[in-house]
Amino acid sequence: MDKFLQAAIDEAKKGLAAGGIPIGSVLVIDGEILGRGHNQRVQKGSTVLHAEMDCLENTGRIKAADYKRATLYSTLSPCDMCSGTVLLYGIPKVVIGENKTFCGPEEYVKSRGVQLDVVDDPECYQLMQSFIQTNPELWNEDIGE
Amino acid sequence: MDKFLQAAIDEAKKGLAAGGIPIGSVLVIDGEILGRGHNQRVQKGSTVLHAEMDCLENTGRIKAADYKRATLYSTLSPCDMCSGTVLLYGIPKVVIGENKTFCGPEEYVKSRGVQLDVVDDPECYQLMQSFIQTNPELWNEDIGE
C-alpha cells in the first residue's frame, strides 16, 4: 500500500470516527505530506470543506511553484468543486483511491493536463459503501443531490 | 444597478476595508439573499475561501432543491474552483460583475448548462484594477500564478 494513500485513508477514518463522511486527502510535495484533511460537512457544518478542500486549507498558503510539483491524494474521485481546485492551483497529479462510488469530471480534468491515477483500493470503496448504506441522505447532500 | 450585484460589491468593499482582495459574492434564492461572503485569503489565510466559496460556506447547509433555483452573484468571473462548486451544487445561474480582469472557464460552465450573465460593471472592474496595481503578488497567489 502506498503510504500516502494510507495517510489519506487514515484521514477518512478519522472523519468517520467523528461522525463524518469518510473521505480523506493529503497533499504531498517532494515526498513529504504538507497537509491533511477530511470531509467536514457534519463536523463543521461545511458545504465547501470536502476532504481535498480541507486538506488544501490545512496546508495553508504555499507558493504557486509548490502546487505545481505537488500530488493530491484522495480516497474518492474528486467532484467538480475539488477538481476545479486542482485546476486553479495547477496541481499536476491526483491519486484517487476509488471512483466506483462516485466519479468526478475525470475526463475533463485529464483534458486540462492533469494526471489521474486510480488505485481502485478496496478499503476506500468499503468505507464509502458502508457509510452510504447507513447515511444515504448525508451522502446525497454532499454531492448536491 | 441590480441590488444583488450591489450587495456583492458591498461585500468586496468590506473585504478591501479589512485588507483583503476586493471580490464579493451573494447567493440569492426566491428574491432573497441567503448568504454573503468575500475573499478571505488575507483575513483568514485561506486558500479555498474565494468570495463565492465564503458566500456558500456562510449560507450553510441548504437543500439540493434550493441550490437548483439559486442565483450566485460574484463581482468577478468565477475561477476553476468556484465554477466547479457551481457545477457540484447545480446552481443554474451566475451573475458576474466583470470578466475583463480575470475570466474563469466560462465556456465550459455554459456547456454544462449554467447561465452566465456578465454585467461588465465599471465599479467591479475598478476595484480589482486598483487593488492589483498595489498588490500584484497577492492577486497572483489567489489565482495560482
Side-chain angles (χ1 to χ4, degrees):
Chain A
M1 161 69 78
D2 180 317
K3 68 178 176 180
F4 299 129
L5 182 58
Q6 185 58 58
I9 294 173
D10 291 346
E11 279 295 315
K13 288 180 178 171
K14 203 182 286 182
L16 184 65
I21 304 175
I23 307 171
S25 176
V26 299
L27 187 76
V28 175
I29 301 180
D30 301 337
E32 293 209 10
I33 296 177
L34 249 77
R36 302 164 193 262
H38 51 264
N39 188 296
Q40 299 284 358
R41 180 168 299 272
V42 174
Q43 299 93 315
K44 294 189 178 171
S46 176
T47 60
V48 305
L49 293 176
H50 275 188
E52 300 89 328
M53 308 295 283
D54 189 48
C55 169
L56 292 169
E57 187 71 333
N58 290 338
T59 300
R61 291 168 62 183
I62 61 175
K63 289 188 194 311
D66 292 333
Y67 285 118
K68 280 153 190 72
R69 59 177 202 280
T71 298
L72 184 67
Y73 286 74
S74 178
T75 56
L76 185 64
S77 178
C79 76
D80 280 305
M81 171 174 69
C82 300
S83 296
T85 308
V86 166
L87 296 173
L88 167 65
Y89 287 118
I91 296 171
K93 184 177 169 184
V94 183
V95 177
I96 296 169
E98 63 112 348
N99 64 1
K100 282 184 200 157
T101 299
F102 175 85
C103 189
E106 293 186 359
E107 288 311 313
Y108 173 66
V109 173
K110 284 194 269 189
S111 80
R112 295 276 306 268
V114 180
Q115 179 185 339
L116 300 183
D117 290 2
V118 181
V119 178
D120 199 12
D121 178 78
E123 189 173 10
C124 293
Y125 181 71
Q126 200 42 57
L127 272 166
M128 286 308 293
Q129 291 305 307
S130 74
F131 181 83
I132 291 172
Q133 214 156 28
T134 328
N135 306 276
E137 286 177 9
L138 261 177
W139 166 241
N140 285 337
E141 182 189 330
D142 205 50
I143 54 172
E145 284 180 4
Chain B
M1 162 69 78
D2 179 317
K3 68 177 176 180
F4 299 130
L5 182 57
Q6 185 58 59
I9 293 172
D10 291 346
E11 280 295 316
K13 289 180 178 171
K14 203 181 287 181
L16 184 65
I21 303 174
I23 307 171
S25 175
V26 299
L27 187 76
V28 175
I29 301 181
D30 300 339
E32 293 209 11
I33 295 177
L34 250 75
R36 302 164 193 260
H38 51 263
N39 188 296
Q40 299 284 358
R41 178 168 300 272
V42 174
Q43 299 93 314
K44 294 189 177 171
S46 176
T47 61
V48 305
L49 292 176
H50 275 187
E52 301 89 330
M53 308 296 283
D54 189 48
C55 169
L56 291 169
E57 188 71 333
N58 291 337
T59 301
R61 291 168 62 183
I62 62 175
K63 287 187 197 312
D66 292 332
Y67 286 116
K68 280 153 190 73
R69 60 177 201 280
T71 299
L72 184 67
Y73 286 74
S74 178
T75 57
L76 184 65
S77 178
C79 76
D80 281 305
M81 172 174 69
C82 300
S83 296
T85 308
V86 165
L87 296 173
L88 167 65
Y89 287 118
I91 296 171
K93 183 177 169 184
V94 183
V95 177
I96 297 169
E98 62 112 346
N99 64 2
K100 282 184 200 157
T101 299
F102 175 85
C103 190
E106 294 187 358
E107 289 311 312
Y108 173 66
V109 173
K110 284 194 269 189
S111 80
R112 295 275 306 268
V114 180
Q115 179 186 337
L116 301 184
D117 291 2
V118 180
V119 177
D120 199 13
D121 178 78
E123 189 173 11
C124 293
Y125 180 71
Q126 200 42 56
L127 273 167
M128 286 309 293
Q129 290 305 307
S130 73
F131 181 84
I132 292 172
Q133 214 157 26
T134 328
N135 306 276
E137 286 177 10
L138 260 177
W139 166 242
N140 285 338
E141 182 189 330
D142 205 50
I143 53 171
E145 284 179 5

PDB file of all heavy atoms in Angstrom, chain A residues 72-95:
ATOM      1  N   LEU A  72      -1.884  15.401  -5.136  1.00  0.00           N
ATOM      2  CA  LEU A  72      -3.002  15.364  -4.193  1.00  0.00           C
ATOM      3  C   LEU A  72      -3.535  13.936  -4.146  1.00  0.00           C
ATOM      4  O   LEU A  72      -3.810  13.331  -5.186  1.00  0.00           O
ATOM      5  CB  LEU A  72      -4.105  16.333  -4.651  1.00  0.00           C
ATOM      6  CG  LEU A  72      -5.301  16.473  -3.715  1.00  0.00           C
ATOM      7  CD1 LEU A  72      -4.909  17.134  -2.389  1.00  0.00           C
ATOM      8  CD2 LEU A  72      -6.418  17.279  -4.386  1.00  0.00           C
ATOM      9  N   TYR A  73      -3.635  13.399  -2.953  1.00  0.00           N
ATOM     10  CA  TYR A  73      -4.222  12.070  -2.761  1.00  0.00           C
ATOM     11  C   TYR A  73      -5.629  12.237  -2.215  1.00  0.00           C
ATOM     12  O   TYR A  73      -5.849  13.052  -1.310  1.00  0.00           O
ATOM     13  CB  TYR A  73      -3.389  11.262  -1.744  1.00  0.00           C
ATOM     14  CG  TYR A  73      -2.077  10.764  -2.290  1.00  0.00           C
ATOM     15  CD1 TYR A  73      -1.015  11.628  -2.493  1.00  0.00           C
ATOM     16  CD2 TYR A  73      -1.909   9.422  -2.627  1.00  0.00           C
ATOM     17  CE1 TYR A  73       0.194  11.187  -3.023  1.00  0.00           C
ATOM     18  CE2 TYR A  73      -0.696   8.964  -3.155  1.00  0.00           C
ATOM     19  CZ  TYR A  73       0.337   9.848  -3.344  1.00  0.00           C
ATOM     20  OH  TYR A  73       1.523   9.409  -3.875  1.00  0.00           O
ATOM     21  N   SER A  74      -6.559  11.475  -2.763  1.00  0.00           N
ATOM     22  CA  SER A  74      -7.905  11.485  -2.207  1.00  0.00           C
ATOM     23  C   SER A  74      -8.444  10.063  -2.224  1.00  0.00           C
ATOM     24  O   SER A  74      -8.221   9.316  -3.186  1.00  0.00           O
ATOM     25  CB  SER A  74      -8.821  12.403  -3.016  1.00  0.00           C
ATOM     26  OG  SER A  74     -10.141  12.345  -2.472  1.00  0.00           O
ATOM     27  N   THR A  75      -9.175   9.696  -1.182  1.00  0.00           N
ATOM     28  CA  THR A  75      -9.715   8.330  -1.138  1.00  0.00           C
ATOM     29  C   THR A  75     -10.839   8.131  -2.159  1.00  0.00           C
ATOM     30  O   THR A  75     -11.157   7.000  -2.508  1.00  0.00           O
ATOM     31  CB  THR A  75     -10.239   7.994   0.280  1.00  0.00           C
ATOM     32  OG1 THR A  75     -11.211   8.981   0.662  1.00  0.00           O
ATOM     33  CG2 THR A  75      -9.096   7.977   1.293  1.00  0.00           C
ATOM     34  N   LEU A  76     -11.408   9.255  -2.655  1.00  0.00           N
ATOM     35  CA  LEU A  76     -12.527   9.168  -3.609  1.00  0.00           C
ATOM     36  C   LEU A  76     -12.295  10.144  -4.764  1.00  0.00           C
ATOM     37  O   LEU A  76     -11.707  11.207  -4.580  1.00  0.00           O
ATOM     38  CB  LEU A  76     -13.842   9.508  -2.892  1.00  0.00           C
ATOM     39  CG  LEU A  76     -15.133   9.356  -3.697  1.00  0.00           C
ATOM     40  CD1 LEU A  76     -15.373   7.894  -4.084  1.00  0.00           C
ATOM     41  CD2 LEU A  76     -16.334   9.870  -2.887  1.00  0.00           C
ATOM     42  N   SER A  77     -12.796   9.798  -5.919  1.00  0.00           N
ATOM     43  CA  SER A  77     -12.655  10.634  -7.114  1.00  0.00           C
ATOM     44  C   SER A  77     -13.158  12.057  -6.841  1.00  0.00           C
ATOM     45  O   SER A  77     -14.300  12.245  -6.408  1.00  0.00           O
ATOM     46  CB  SER A  77     -13.459   9.998  -8.254  1.00  0.00           C
ATOM     47  OG  SER A  77     -13.390  10.790  -9.421  1.00  0.00           O
ATOM     48  N   PRO A  78     -12.325  13.068  -7.069  1.00  0.00           N
ATOM     49  CA  PRO A  78     -12.714  14.449  -6.759  1.00  0.00           C
ATOM     50  C   PRO A  78     -13.916  14.925  -7.580  1.00  0.00           C
ATOM     51  O   PRO A  78     -13.975  14.725  -8.791  1.00  0.00           O
ATOM     52  CB  PRO A  78     -11.455  15.257  -7.116  1.00  0.00           C
ATOM     53  CG  PRO A  78     -10.329  14.288  -7.024  1.00  0.00           C
ATOM     54  CD  PRO A  78     -10.914  12.979  -7.492  1.00  0.00           C
ATOM     55  N   CYS A  79     -14.856  15.575  -6.885  1.00  0.00           N
ATOM     56  CA  CYS A  79     -16.060  16.136  -7.505  1.00  0.00           C
ATOM     57  C   CYS A  79     -15.705  17.357  -8.351  1.00  0.00           C
ATOM     58  O   CYS A  79     -14.537  17.758  -8.435  1.00  0.00           O
ATOM     59  CB  CYS A  79     -17.053  16.529  -6.413  1.00  0.00           C
ATOM     60  SG  CYS A  79     -16.584  18.071  -5.571  1.00  0.00           S
ATOM     61  N   ASP A  80     -16.709  17.983  -8.925  1.00  0.00           N
ATOM     62  CA  ASP A  80     -16.489  19.191  -9.728  1.00  0.00           C
ATOM     63  C   ASP A  80     -15.748  20.279  -8.943  1.00  0.00           C
ATOM     64  O   ASP A  80     -14.850  20.934  -9.485  1.00  0.00           O
ATOM     65  CB  ASP A  80     -17.839  19.753 -10.204  1.00  0.00           C
ATOM     66  CG  ASP A  80     -18.391  19.001 -11.409  1.00  0.00           C
ATOM     67  OD1 ASP A  80     -17.675  18.890 -12.416  1.00  0.00           O
ATOM     68  OD2 ASP A  80     -19.541  18.529 -11.336  1.00  0.00           O
ATOM     69  N   MET A  81     -16.136  20.487  -7.697  1.00  0.00           N
ATOM     70  CA  MET A  81     -15.503  21.542  -6.893  1.00  0.00           C
ATOM     71  C   MET A  81     -14.025  21.242  -6.660  1.00  0.00           C
ATOM     72  O   MET A  81     -13.159  22.096  -6.914  1.00  0.00           O
ATOM     73  CB  MET A  81     -16.227  21.677  -5.542  1.00  0.00           C
ATOM     74  CG  MET A  81     -15.535  22.589  -4.539  1.00  0.00           C
ATOM     75  SD  MET A  81     -16.528  22.852  -3.027  1.00  0.00           S
ATOM     76  CE  MET A  81     -16.456  21.213  -2.256  1.00  0.00           C
ATOM     77  N   CYS A  82     -13.750  20.038  -6.177  1.00  0.00           N
ATOM     78  CA  CYS A  82     -12.372  19.685  -5.820  1.00  0.00           C
ATOM     79  C   CYS A  82     -11.512  19.572  -7.077  1.00  0.00           C
ATOM     80  O   CYS A  82     -10.332  19.946  -7.067  1.00  0.00           O
ATOM     81  CB  CYS A  82     -12.365  18.391  -5.022  1.00  0.00           C
ATOM     82  SG  CYS A  82     -13.323  18.541  -3.485  1.00  0.00           S
ATOM     83  N   SER A  83     -12.090  19.090  -8.168  1.00  0.00           N
ATOM     84  CA  SER A  83     -11.371  19.035  -9.448  1.00  0.00           C
ATOM     85  C   SER A  83     -11.030  20.443  -9.906  1.00  0.00           C
ATOM     86  O   SER A  83      -9.913  20.705 -10.382  1.00  0.00           O
ATOM     87  CB  SER A  83     -12.233  18.343 -10.506  1.00  0.00           C
ATOM     88  OG  SER A  83     -12.460  16.995 -10.154  1.00  0.00           O
ATOM     89  N   GLY A  84     -11.983  21.368  -9.748  1.00  0.00           N
ATOM     90  CA  GLY A  84     -11.748  22.756 -10.129  1.00  0.00           C
ATOM     91  C   GLY A  84     -10.613  23.370  -9.324  1.00  0.00           C
ATOM     92  O   GLY A  84      -9.825  24.174  -9.837  1.00  0.00           O
ATOM     93  N   THR A  85     -10.511  22.964  -8.070  1.00  0.00           N
ATOM     94  CA  THR A  85      -9.451  23.498  -7.206  1.00  0.00           C
ATOM     95  C   THR A  85      -8.084  22.981  -7.650  1.00  0.00           C
ATOM     96  O   THR A  85      -7.094  23.719  -7.640  1.00  0.00           O
ATOM     97  CB  THR A  85      -9.760  23.132  -5.744  1.00  0.00           C
ATOM     98  OG1 THR A  85     -11.093  23.545  -5.458  1.00  0.00           O
ATOM     99  CG2 THR A  85      -8.808  23.830  -4.794  1.00  0.00           C
ATOM    100  N   VAL A  86      -8.048  21.734  -8.051  1.00  0.00           N
ATOM    101  CA  VAL A  86      -6.821  21.155  -8.621  1.00  0.00           C
ATOM    102  C   VAL A  86      -6.391  21.968  -9.853  1.00  0.00           C
ATOM    103  O   VAL A  86      -5.212  22.297 -10.021  1.00  0.00           O
ATOM    104  CB  VAL A  86      -7.053  19.672  -8.999  1.00  0.00           C
ATOM    105  CG1 VAL A  86      -5.935  19.136  -9.890  1.00  0.00           C
ATOM    106  CG2 VAL A  86      -7.200  18.818  -7.735  1.00  0.00           C
ATOM    107  N   LEU A  87      -7.363  22.331 -10.672  1.00  0.00           N
ATOM    108  CA  LEU A  87      -7.071  23.111 -11.885  1.00  0.00           C
ATOM    109  C   LEU A  87      -6.630  24.534 -11.528  1.00  0.00           C
ATOM    110  O   LEU A  87      -5.680  25.059 -12.119  1.00  0.00           O
ATOM    111  CB  LEU A  87      -8.297  23.145 -12.802  1.00  0.00           C
ATOM    112  CG  LEU A  87      -8.724  21.781 -13.359  1.00  0.00           C
ATOM    113  CD1 LEU A  87     -10.053  21.905 -14.109  1.00  0.00           C
ATOM    114  CD2 LEU A  87      -7.651  21.195 -14.276  1.00  0.00           C
ATOM    115  N   LEU A  88      -7.309  25.147 -10.569  1.00  0.00           N
ATOM    116  CA  LEU A  88      -6.952  26.513 -10.156  1.00  0.00           C
ATOM    117  C   LEU A  88      -5.483  26.591  -9.765  1.00  0.00           C
ATOM    118  O   LEU A  88      -4.755  27.491 -10.198  1.00  0.00           O
ATOM    119  CB  LEU A  88      -7.819  26.958  -8.965  1.00  0.00           C
ATOM    120  CG  LEU A  88      -7.360  28.226  -8.226  1.00  0.00           C
ATOM    121  CD1 LEU A  88      -7.445  29.451  -9.139  1.00  0.00           C
ATOM    122  CD2 LEU A  88      -8.178  28.453  -6.951  1.00  0.00           C
ATOM    123  N   TYR A  89      -5.043  25.638  -8.953  1.00  0.00           N
ATOM    124  CA  TYR A  89      -3.682  25.707  -8.423  1.00  0.00           C
ATOM    125  C   TYR A  89      -2.656  24.978  -9.301  1.00  0.00           C
ATOM    126  O   TYR A  89      -1.477  24.967  -8.979  1.00  0.00           O
ATOM    127  CB  TYR A  89      -3.645  25.205  -6.982  1.00  0.00           C
ATOM    128  CG  TYR A  89      -4.277  26.202  -6.025  1.00  0.00           C
ATOM    129  CD1 TYR A  89      -5.404  25.892  -5.285  1.00  0.00           C
ATOM    130  CD2 TYR A  89      -3.736  27.489  -5.913  1.00  0.00           C
ATOM    131  CE1 TYR A  89      -5.985  26.830  -4.432  1.00  0.00           C
ATOM    132  CE2 TYR A  89      -4.310  28.421  -5.069  1.00  0.00           C
ATOM    133  CZ  TYR A  89      -5.433  28.089  -4.334  1.00  0.00           C
ATOM    134  OH  TYR A  89      -6.006  29.027  -3.501  1.00  0.00           O
ATOM    135  N   GLY A  90      -3.135  24.384 -10.379  1.00  0.00           N
ATOM    136  CA  GLY A  90      -2.203  23.725 -11.291  1.00  0.00           C
ATOM    137  C   GLY A  90      -1.503  22.517 -10.680  1.00  0.00           C
ATOM    138  O   GLY A  90      -0.339  22.236 -10.995  1.00  0.00           O
ATOM    139  N   ILE A  91      -2.211  21.813  -9.797  1.00  0.00           N
ATOM    140  CA  ILE A  91      -1.655  20.572  -9.231  1.00  0.00           C
ATOM    141  C   ILE A  91      -1.608  19.538 -10.355  1.00  0.00           C
ATOM    142  O   ILE A  91      -2.634  19.244 -10.969  1.00  0.00           O
ATOM    143  CB  ILE A  91      -2.527  20.088  -8.046  1.00  0.00           C
ATOM    144  CG1 ILE A  91      -2.482  21.121  -6.918  1.00  0.00           C
ATOM    145  CG2 ILE A  91      -2.084  18.709  -7.561  1.00  0.00           C
ATOM    146  CD1 ILE A  91      -3.473  20.873  -5.789  1.00  0.00           C
ATOM    147  N   PRO A  92      -0.437  19.006 -10.659  1.00  0.00           N
ATOM    148  CA  PRO A  92      -0.307  18.200 -11.884  1.00  0.00           C
ATOM    149  C   PRO A  92      -0.762  16.751 -11.773  1.00  0.00           C
ATOM    150  O   PRO A  92      -0.961  16.091 -12.789  1.00  0.00           O
ATOM    151  CB  PRO A  92       1.198  18.256 -12.179  1.00  0.00           C
ATOM    152  CG  PRO A  92       1.834  18.450 -10.846  1.00  0.00           C
ATOM    153  CD  PRO A  92       0.873  19.259 -10.021  1.00  0.00           C
ATOM    154  N   LYS A  93      -0.918  16.257 -10.538  1.00  0.00           N
ATOM    155  CA  LYS A  93      -1.219  14.820 -10.393  1.00  0.00           C
ATOM    156  C   LYS A  93      -2.141  14.562  -9.206  1.00  0.00           C
ATOM    157  O   LYS A  93      -1.943  15.123  -8.126  1.00  0.00           O
ATOM    158  CB  LYS A  93       0.094  14.047 -10.205  1.00  0.00           C
ATOM    159  CG  LYS A  93      -0.068  12.542 -10.131  1.00  0.00           C
ATOM    160  CD  LYS A  93       1.290  11.855 -10.031  1.00  0.00           C
ATOM    161  CE  LYS A  93       1.139  10.372  -9.697  1.00  0.00           C
ATOM    162  NZ  LYS A  93       2.442   9.715  -9.501  1.00  0.00           N
ATOM    163  N   VAL A  94      -3.137  13.703  -9.430  1.00  0.00           N
ATOM    164  CA  VAL A  94      -4.045  13.312  -8.350  1.00  0.00           C
ATOM    165  C   VAL A  94      -4.076  11.785  -8.292  1.00  0.00           C
ATOM    166  O   VAL A  94      -4.257  11.126  -9.318  1.00  0.00           O
ATOM    167  CB  VAL A  94      -5.480  13.847  -8.582  1.00  0.00           C
ATOM    168  CG1 VAL A  94      -6.386  13.480  -7.408  1.00  0.00           C
ATOM    169  CG2 VAL A  94      -5.479  15.358  -8.793  1.00  0.00           C
ATOM    170  N   VAL A  95      -3.864  11.242  -7.101  1.00  0.00           N
ATOM    171  CA  VAL A  95      -4.003   9.797  -6.888  1.00  0.00           C
ATOM    172  C   VAL A  95      -5.349   9.567  -6.205  1.00  0.00           C
ATOM    173  O   VAL A  95      -5.632  10.152  -5.154  1.00  0.00           O
ATOM    174  CB  VAL A  95      -2.847   9.233  -6.038  1.00  0.00           C
ATOM    175  CG1 VAL A  95      -3.054   7.750  -5.768  1.00  0.00           C
ATOM    176  CG2 VAL A  95      -1.502   9.461  -6.742  1.00  0.00           C
TER     177      VAL A  95
END
